Amino acid sequence: MGLDSVEIVIQLEQTFDVQILDREAESLTTPRETMELIGSKLGVSDSSLPCPVRRAFRLVRHGIHEAAGGNPALRVRGSDRVSHFYRRSERTAFWAKFCRETGLSGFRPPSLFWRAPRVREVVERVCASHLHQLKRQDEPWTEGWIRFGVRAVVRDVVGVSGFSDNDRFIEDIGID
């Protein structure tokens, strides 16, 4: 298994709060197989849940509001750069307070060398790394949420978005 594969497995475990054994990980060749494995570990319901992106945006917006001082008049849009809400010298304290306020322990904001992340990129990272925290405990896992989470992890780790559930990780998606 290459570095991308290991990172994907680690992030899948964090995203879904499951353990994936090495022999299971080595046998996965497509996103669909990954979805089926995770579904078998979590149990899957055919009920419907609200979109995880909407829940993530609400959580991120709340975290930004609180980390930026709790100003209720503060507007947070997906296209905003998060750095708009704090001074450069306060970056570390802002993200620490964001994590406390949202309950997203261990959350790592997207790190981009040439620019600060946009709110939508933070939402995508929340979906890719903390999906199990967006789902309420009384709600069942659904095929849609599992599919969403697996695809979000692949996008986050590899940076590829144009792939199908049946594409092969190595040959089609380019994961090493």
Side-chain angles (χ1 to χ4, degrees):
M1 285 178 37
L3 186 56
D4 286 343
S5 301
V6 171
E7 286 182 49
I8 286 174
V9 170
I10 290 169
Q11 195 159 331
L12 286 168
E13 289 178 331
Q14 181 181 3
T15 298
F16 293 103
D17 197 25
V18 297
Q19 181 180 11
I20 299 174
L21 303 173
D22 288 344
R23 63 177 158 65
E24 292 172 324
E26 290 169 1
S27 71
L28 297 173
T29 60
T30 66
R32 182 171 313 284
E33 290 174 358
T34 306
M35 294 169 205
E36 290 168 359
L37 173 67
I38 291 171
S40 72
K41 290 179 175 289
L42 297 174
V44 178
S45 170
D46 58 357
S47 60
S48 153
L49 293 179
C51 174
V53 174
R54 291 182 74 192
R55 284 190 183 172
F57 178 73
R58 278 188 240 134
L59 183 64
V60 167
R61 182 177 57 197
H62 167 75
I64 289 172
H65 270 269
E66 296 304 314
N71 179 355
L74 186 69
R75 289 193 54 168
V76 178
R77 292 178 296 269
S79 60
D80 291 337
R81 297 228 185 269
V82 179
S83 59
H84 172 75
F85 303 105
Y86 61 85
R87 288 188 196 95
R88 186 176 180 102
S89 62
E90 299 169 347
R91 180 181 188 276
T92 302
F94 174 88
W95 286 112
K97 186 166 185 181
F98 174 89
C99 289
R100 281 193 308 276
E101 292 296 330
T102 58
L104 298 173
S105 61
F107 176 75
R108 294 177 302 120
S111 58
L112 307 167
F113 295 114
W114 61 93
R115 64 175 174 81
R118 295 189 185 277
V119 171
R120 80 169 52 93
E121 292 163 336
V122 175
V123 169
E124 290 169 0
R125 172 61 61 89
V126 167
C127 290
S129 62
H130 290 76
L131 190 64
H132 71 280
Q133 288 179 268
L134 296 175
K135 188 183 79 52
R136 296 185 190 106
Q137 290 207 350
D138 63 331
E139 295 174 326
W141 281 99
T142 65
E143 287 182 8
W145 271 57
I146 292 171
R147 180 178 189 269
F148 180 87
V150 168
R151 293 182 65 81
V153 167
V154 172
R155 275 192 309 272
D156 191 53
V157 172
V158 185
V160 174
S161 58
F163 61 91
S164 82
D165 295 346
N166 294 317
D167 281 350
R168 298 177 67 77
F169 284 126
I170 296 170
E171 297 86 349
D172 301 323
I173 301 175
I175 295 174
D176 61 14

